[in-house]
Amino acid sequence: TKEVIREILTSESNAKLELIAKGYSYKDLKLGRFDIKLRPEKVNAWDGVNKRRYTIPEQYVIRYEPLKETKDALDILNKSIDN
């Protein structure tokens, strides 16, 4: 039923969020890989809207890399545009 599926997907999402909070990378079946990377501090970054320089602090970011199956599915979608 819908409620059981929703409960399973919610549990899966919560487990992935716990992994991210602990700094672990994970692979999501055939969709892609989520890597946790530490981005170093960036000094003297330019803010083009407010015309000023500022410092971006060191922080963790998520890097997503699609796997082959995801890239293939996207290629099929893009080919449908050409036709």
Side-chain angles (χ1 to χ4, degrees):
T1 64
K2 289 182 181 180
E3 292 82 21
V4 173
I5 293 172
R6 183 180 307 273
E7 184 178 328
I8 291 169
L9 292 175
T10 301
S11 297
E12 179 188 20
S13 295
N14 290 339
K16 290 175 184 178
L17 290 173
E18 284 181 31
L19 286 173
I20 290 171
K22 292 179 181 178
Y24 291 106
S25 298
Y26 71 92
K27 182 177 169 183
D28 193 1
L29 293 178
K30 295 182 178 185
L31 294 177
R33 179 174 178 80
F34 295 83
D35 292 320
I36 308 300
K37 301 287 183 182
L38 182 62
R39 184 185 305 167
E41 178 181 61
K42 185 173 183 180
V43 180
N44 217 12
W46 177 248
D47 179 0
V49 174
N50 298 313
K51 307 292 188 222
R52 65 181 177 91
R53 296 208 176 267
Y54 65 102
T55 299
I56 300 174
E58 178 180 69
Q59 60 187 340
Y60 284 99
V61 295
I62 295 177
R63 183 176 164 269
Y64 171 73
E65 181 183 343
L67 297 178
K68 183 182 183 314
E69 290 85 353
T70 305
K71 291 177 184 177
D72 291 345
L74 190 57
D75 287 343
I76 291 170
L77 180 63
N78 285 327
K79 286 179 184 174
S80 69
I81 294 173
D82 295 336
N83 295 334

